[in-house]
Amino acid sequence: MLASVASATLLGVEGRPVRVEVHVSNGLPGFTVVGLPDTTCRESRDRVRAALLSSGLTWPNARVTVNLAPPGLRKVGAGLDLAIAVGLLIASEQLPAGGATDRAFVGELGLDGSVRAVPGALPLIDSLPEPEIVVPAGCTVEAQLVGRHAIRPVDRLGDVVSALCGRAPWPDPPEPVELPDPPPGPDLADVRGQPAARFALEVAAAGGHHLLLVGPPGAGKTMLARRLAGLLPDLDQACALETTCIHSAAGIPLPPSGLVRRPPFRAPHHGASAASLVGGGSGSMQPGEVSLANHGVLFLDEVGEFDPAVLDSLRQPLEEGVIRVARAAAKVTFPARVLLVAAMNPCPCGEARPAGGCRCAPATRARYARRMSGPLLDRFDLRIEVGRPDVAELLDTSAGEPSRDVAARVAVARRAASARGVGANAELPAWRLDDVAPLDAAASRLVERALRAGRLTGRGLGGVRRVARTIADLAGHDGRLRVDHVSAGLALRSEPAFLDGRVA
């Protein structure tokens, strides 16, 4: 007998519908899975067999063939276990033939017959057209975010069999658990001194501009960067769903509500490979750290210690906001719209020049500076040299401006950008700058002098105008950009001293 059951598999961060076809026939007993299954899918034979026997069901003493259609799509993970088990029970006439009609099944089976949660439940369920979806109870909150299916959460394979046979109703969804609010994140009020860096942080949050912090150890670079996500507004519904899909596909625990509302903050180690940063992999396409930080902050601490080739792999994603990973078997597009913050020392020993404490040879400093290529440096609209605060600032017990006050100004600037049709001013295309960021006469002359002096590239000019637009929005100015806005934008884009001779 033949049975056909709907399910889904992951390709990158997207769900793809899969039709699980199970054929039971006479012949030498065996179990074969075809249709480009990965190792985990092929091992479903042993999990399904043990789960059926543990649930008091019969394993057919016949030849069983499972086809995962379409055959050209690679199937990954254990999320097809439940669909294979239901198809096998229908094909062996232990369940009614119409039990899988207009239903889809997603879940991993334990050897004891339990139905376990699977990563990527949200994109998997979002890809299914069937009106009713049977899912593990642990995926209930995630499954309900899609909003267009009847969700049937189950804990055990026996619950599925009883409901499909009509012996018992579908189990009720678990009661929502009231959890306390998460603790507040680090506050900008903890930072002592650093007025220029604090202002750069505010501009970066308001306009979505990439930020490079350069300074000696102990200056507060990491402390500042870790407070940036707290200045960003909550994600809107579309951005929250996209970010939640990425985290779900990567198997990252979701908040109690199931929806990622706060901008994520990711800080990979400087030993990260290119695949772990931008995504990909040989077995299955996994999102990288850039995609996990989508609509949030990607912080590269000690960026001078990253592999230069890994850093240069960020150049295209920073421009386009997506990562296209191409392999022989599949091509996947990952979202990658991030606010990049990088921190580095001015040299390997960490002591800034011209303070006189640097112990590095000139050749060592030059080699260290070359670890960040000119094209990547050009994508940082904000470049700030962060010095160590003086003793009086460190010992000052008065609190600085808290994050909530800065976040309120950032929200006003973000609303101004939203009125222009973008999420932040950094997303403004070049062809719109003459309309939304026009320069007055004095500002035009200032920009012309910077271009003729070689301080700006063509990309840098657009970056300065976007930053100036953000500074004007923070000041409540909606007209032509004045010379004070542009000069502040140029000052925030100053070239770090250790990059002597590098084009800005």
Side-chain angles (χ1 to χ4, degrees), residues 63-82:
R63 181 161 188 81
V64 179
T65 303
V66 178
N67 179 43
L68 308 178
L73 173 66
R74 187 163 184 81
K75 321 304 184 302
V76 299
L80 299 173
D81 285 0
L82 184 57

Side-chain angles (χ1 to χ4, degrees), residues 209-225:
H209 309 289
H210 305 311
L211 171 64
L212 174 63
L213 300 170
V214 181
K221 305 183 296 296
T222 302
M223 189 177 187
L224 285 162

Side-chain angles (χ1 to χ4, degrees), residues 48-92:
V48 171
R49 183 178 187 275
L52 261 63
L53 296 177
S54 298
S55 303
L57 301 165
T58 302
W59 179 260
N61 189 26
R63 181 161 188 81
V64 179
T65 303
V66 178
N67 179 43
L68 308 178
L73 173 66
R74 187 163 184 81
K75 321 304 184 302
V76 299
L80 299 173
D81 285 0
L82 184 57
I84 293 173
V86 170
L88 180 59
L89 292 172
I90 293 175
S92 61

Side-chain angles (χ1 to χ4, degrees), residues 7 24 96 113 125 200 213 273 347 360 393 399 411 443 449 460:
S7 188
V24 177
I125 293 166
L213 300 170
S273 65
C347 62
C360 302
E393 291 174 331
R449 287 196 298 271

Side-chain angles (χ1 to χ4, degrees), residues 223-286:
M223 189 177 187
L224 285 162
R226 291 191 178 279
R227 281 149 179 78
L228 180 53
L231 307 181
L232 300 176
D234 288 346
L235 303 180
D236 59 30
Q237 185 69 14
C239 293
L241 277 173
E242 183 179 62
T243 303
T244 304
C245 280
I246 298 170
H247 286 210
S248 174
I252 295 177
L254 299 178
S257 66
L259 201 62
V260 179
R261 284 291 187 187
R262 289 297 304 156
F265 179 89
R266 303 291 299 183
H269 186 263
H270 56 75
S273 65
S276 68
L277 198 62
V278 303
S282 56
S284 62
M285 297 287 198
Q286 292 290 323

Side-chain angles (χ1 to χ4, degrees), residues 82-155:
L82 184 57
I84 293 173
V86 170
L88 180 59
L89 292 172
I90 293 175
S92 61
E93 300 182 348
Q94 300 180 65
L95 282 178
T101 303
D102 293 330
R103 287 191 182 99
F105 299 81
V106 175
E108 175 190 342
L109 290 179
L111 301 185
D112 60 350
S114 60
V115 183
R116 297 171 179 168
V118 295
L122 178 57
L124 289 175
I125 293 166
D126 189 36
S127 70
L128 292 167
E130 284 75 18
E132 188 174 322
I133 314 292
V134 181
V135 301
C139 295
T140 305
V141 175
E142 218 173 317
Q144 291 173 339
L145 294 176
V146 179
R148 66 172 189 271
H149 302 99
I151 302 300
R152 306 299 187 195
V154 294
D155 283 310

Side-chain angles (χ1 to χ4, degrees), residues 218-219 333 402 454 457 485 495:
T333 299
T457 63
H485 303 141
E495 185 175 8

